[in-house]
Amino acid sequence: MPASPSTARAINDRLALRLLQQEGPLTAGRLKQLTGLSRPTVADLVERLTASGLITVVGESGEQRRGPNARVYGIVADRAHLAALDVRTEGVSVVVSDLVGHVLAEASVPIGGDTGTAPAVEQAVALVERVAKEAGTLGAPPPRELAQGWGRLHTVGIGAPGLIDPATGELRDSSALPAWHRRLVAALQERLPEARVLVENETNLAALAEQRDGIARDRDTFVLLWLGHGTGAAVVLDGALRRGASGGTGEIGFLPVPGTTGLPSATDCGGGFHSLVGSAAIAELAAEHGVPARSEGYEPHAAALVRQALATSGSPSADGFLDALADRLAIGAASVIAVLDPGCVVLGGEVGQAGGAALAARVERRLVRMSPLPTEVRASTLGGGAVLRGALLTARDGAQDELFAPPSSR
């Protein structure tokens, strides 16, 4: 059944907006080529989108040899502002951007483990408000723009450790995580009532960022092993992130593995894969092999140790440490490969990025011996910053889904 005229217009508008998002500013002629629509149809949609405040003329094309230059149209970047948060046990990082993802302001604040729940929440919320103000998001826009919702924080994306309830989209309570994590979401919604707040597991966001902007851009199916202070995994199959029935897909820290002193429990991943490749476990392994290094900033100590070992590669202590770490990583990766056959494993987080191609190659060689399933191992190009990048991408997608939707469906 053919679409109604209004439905066809909505489909065409959405297509044009997605192309402008992916390709950047375009002329009407280029939109015609990319969409396959007729010239009058493209002219109509450009007029509609301009009138709605979603696109505007951002320049002129000088490619034409005769006649006037063609107007170049782009998405109105300040139509909405976005915030992204990377919530860790030791602090919070915040970035504010415009609708197309240009960063306007960013900052971080450490939150000590002895900080009470209420003060920790207040520090985090105050940081969001401060960064948003620096970005000009909390200023008063002109009356017309204010009526259209301009000049406000439209969507907030949060990346946090722990399980996200797939039914409610909320961060589930966990005794292993600080209480202020869960309270933060409600506090942000209360202080920013007009903003939409989206929460996702940090490792899932890291995988999204690696898929969109990082090392996995050419892969529809892969597994990301998060190697930071803690351990986790994210599963992307056929282009889609898989969360599981309870939101727990990728809780690889609880995976029972050989080489530990016990078994994990429902409330403690000690004895699981985390006991082999968590930051503290890697630090102990480095000490056993005589590899020293100072921590840098807030990153896991393990990342500095891996970098130091690679810098002194060729020495018995450094090579022994890297080989032993690769052995441990291969145990967890082989378990995932046997079940999912992803074809690609990304070593993510600060430790994965620090290890680079050299550590990835070591792990891949071991997997060749351990598994009949061919698997490429790659090192993250985004490292710990992948969580914040993934949170910003999620916020942008959420905002654009709402703003680009037909008026009747908003």
Side-chain angles (χ1 to χ4, degrees):
M1 180 179 294
S4 67
S6 61
T7 301
R9 285 194 295 271
I11 292 172
N12 294 338
D13 291 355
R14 193 70 173 260
L15 175 58
L17 287 165
R18 286 300 178 196
L19 286 169
L20 289 167
Q21 174 197 20
Q22 296 166 7
E23 304 290 335
L26 300 168
T27 64
R30 184 59 178 151
L31 276 172
K32 175 182 177 298
Q33 292 175 343
L34 293 173
T35 61
L37 299 172
S38 68
R39 189 178 300 276
T41 299
V42 170
D44 286 344
L45 73 82
V46 166
E47 184 177 353
R48 278 195 306 275
L49 295 175
T50 301
S52 67
L54 289 174
I55 70 172
T56 189
V57 177
V58 296
E60 291 185 346
S61 170
E63 297 178 357
Q64 289 187 342
R65 296 182 179 179
R66 293 183 297 178
N69 292 338
R71 292 179 175 179
V72 178
Y73 296 90
I75 293 173
V76 178
D78 58 356
R79 180 65 178 81
H81 290 91
L82 319 169
L85 283 74
D86 180 0
V87 180
R88 307 284 182 101
T89 55
E90 68 279 1
V92 177
S93 295
V94 177
V95 61
V96 173
S97 81
D98 59 26
L99 184 59
V100 296
H102 297 140
V103 174
L104 304 174
E106 55 188 324
S108 299
V109 63
I111 297 179
D114 57 349
T115 306
T117 298
V121 170
E122 179 57 32
Q123 285 184 47
V125 174
L127 179 68
V128 175
E129 292 178 330
R130 176 168 66 82
V131 177
K133 186 175 182 179
E134 290 176 2
T137 299
L138 297 183
R144 175 178 174 272
E145 283 78 1
L146 181 62
Q148 294 180 338
W150 291 26
R152 65 179 174 86
L153 211 52
H154 185 284
T155 304
V156 179
I158 303 175
L163 302 181
I164 307 299
D165 190 320
T168 64
E170 297 178 351
L171 186 65
R172 290 171 54 182
D173 193 14
S174 173
S175 58
L177 297 174
W180 63 269
H181 282 195
R182 202 158 186 269
R183 290 276 298 278
L184 175 60
V185 178
L188 282 171
Q189 195 69 79
E190 181 179 345
R191 293 269 278 270
L192 304 169
E194 294 183 336
R196 181 184 181 191
V197 179
L198 306 174
V199 188
E200 181 57 271
N201 172 266
E202 59 177 356
T203 308
N204 286 345
L205 290 178
L208 172 65
E210 295 288 357
Q211 183 186 33
R212 295 271 197 92
D213 298 333
I215 196 65
R217 290 190 299 272
D218 62 333
R219 305 293 305 207
D220 288 331
T221 296
F222 69 97
V223 168
L224 179 137
L225 293 184
W226 178 261
L227 305 170
H229 288 288
T231 309
V235 177
V236 177
L237 300 178
D238 299 324
L241 187 66
R242 307 297 180 176
R243 296 177 176 83
S246 64
T249 294
E251 288 296 314
I252 198 172
F254 287 87
L255 180 71
V257 292
T260 66
T261 58
L263 290 172
S265 69
T267 58
D268 186 0
C269 59
F273 187 53
H274 175 81
S275 295
L276 292 183
V277 297
S279 184
I282 294 176
E284 291 176 4
L285 184 65
E288 292 173 9
H289 287 82
V291 176
R294 291 185 178 181
S295 299
E296 297 183 12
Y298 299 110
E299 74 169 9
H301 186 207
L305 290 165
V306 170
R307 270 198 304 272
Q308 175 62 25
L310 287 170
T312 56
S313 181
S315 69
S317 58
D319 287 349
F321 166 60
L322 291 171
D323 285 340
L325 177 57
D327 287 341
R328 293 184 175 192
L329 290 170
I331 289 174
S335 301
V336 173
I337 291 166
V339 175
L340 297 175
D341 185 19
C344 178
V345 171
V346 175
L347 303 183
E350 295 91 346
V351 177
Q353 185 181 40
L359 180 59
R362 275 180 159 88
V363 176
E364 185 172 318
R365 286 196 295 269
R366 284 155 177 78
L367 291 177
V368 169
R369 299 195 297 265
M370 296 172 67
S371 173
L373 306 176
T375 306
E376 182 182 6
V377 181
R378 302 178 178 180
S380 165
T381 56
L382 301 176
V387 177
L388 200 58
R389 180 60 184 163
L392 188 59
L393 288 169
T394 297
R396 190 181 74 179
D397 289 348
Q400 290 183 348
D401 282 344
E402 179 179 326
L403 293 171
F404 293 177
S408 60
S409 63
R410 294 177 193 166

